């Protein structure tokens, strides 16, 4: 069988990483959303409930993406990766929380719950690129 060459290898790497990133992202998001909805339904303010949800999802995502999606030669996430991930996470958490609070002020709590997938979806592409080229390198 003929070697596909470096261009095909890079494309396959993008596709593989993209598939894992999406699958892990779905798991992260489900945990994040469930925690946010549960805590806000229980009476915790939306900003605090959203941050708690994001922390839960972030810890899961950091480990799984570092161990599976962006791992190289059996490497595992380390302190340097975590420091970079924390910076990325803080920026995304701030954008997500500010967006959901603004949406909640206009459309109410249920509107914020429904908007969360769209808000987080918009942050996903930049997170993938930052993770691939900065966080786990």
């Amino acid at each position: 069988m003929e070697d596909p060459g470096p261009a095909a290898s890079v494309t396959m790497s993008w596709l593989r990483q993209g598939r894992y990133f999406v699958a892990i992202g779905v798991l992260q998001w489900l945990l994040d959303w469930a925690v946010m909805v549960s805590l806000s339904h229980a009476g915790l303010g939306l900003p605090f409930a959203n941050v708690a949800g994001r922390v839960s999802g972030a810890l899961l995502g950091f480990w799984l993406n570092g161990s599976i999606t962006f791992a190289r030669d059996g490497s595992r996430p380390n302190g340097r990766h975590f420091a970079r991930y924390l910076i990325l996470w803080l920026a995304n958490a701030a954008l997500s929380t500010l967006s959901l609070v603004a949406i909640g002020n206009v459309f109410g709590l249920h509107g914020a719950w429904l908007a969360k997938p769209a808000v987080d979806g918009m942050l996903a592409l930049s997170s993938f690129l930052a993770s691939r080229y900065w966080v786990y390198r």
Side-chain angles (χ1 to χ4, degrees):
M1 183 173 255
E2 192 175 312
D3 181 17
S9 178
V10 167
T11 300
M12 292 186 67
S13 174
W14 270 85
L15 292 174
R16 183 193 71 75
Q17 288 178 339
R19 282 192 310 266
Y20 281 119
F21 190 80
V22 168
I24 290 167
V26 167
L27 291 175
Q28 281 181 263
W29 181 82
L30 287 172
L31 178 61
D32 176 349
W33 185 82
V35 169
M36 188 269 301
V37 169
S38 297
L39 292 176
S40 62
H41 181 70
L44 187 63
L46 186 59
F48 300 107
N50 185 61
V51 170
R54 291 194 60 80
V55 167
S56 301
L59 293 174
L60 178 66
F62 170 72
W63 182 255
L64 291 177
N65 279 316
S67 300
I68 299 169
T69 307
F70 301 109
R72 301 207 291 176
D73 302 323
S75 66
R76 293 285 183 241
N78 59 41
R80 179 178 52 101
H81 297 139
F82 187 74
R84 291 177 179 178
Y85 185 85
L86 184 59
I87 292 167
L88 175 63
W89 181 85
L90 288 170
N92 283 340
L95 289 170
S96 173
T97 301
L98 291 171
S99 298
L100 288 175
V101 167
I103 292 166
N105 287 338
V106 174
F107 298 104
L109 182 59
H110 291 272
W113 291 351
L114 293 173
K116 187 167 176 59
V119 169
D120 290 343
M122 288 186 280
L123 295 171
L125 179 59
S126 62
S127 293
F128 174 78
L129 295 172
S131 293
R132 179 179 167 92
Y133 291 109
W134 182 59
V135 172
Y136 294 104
R137 291 292 168 220

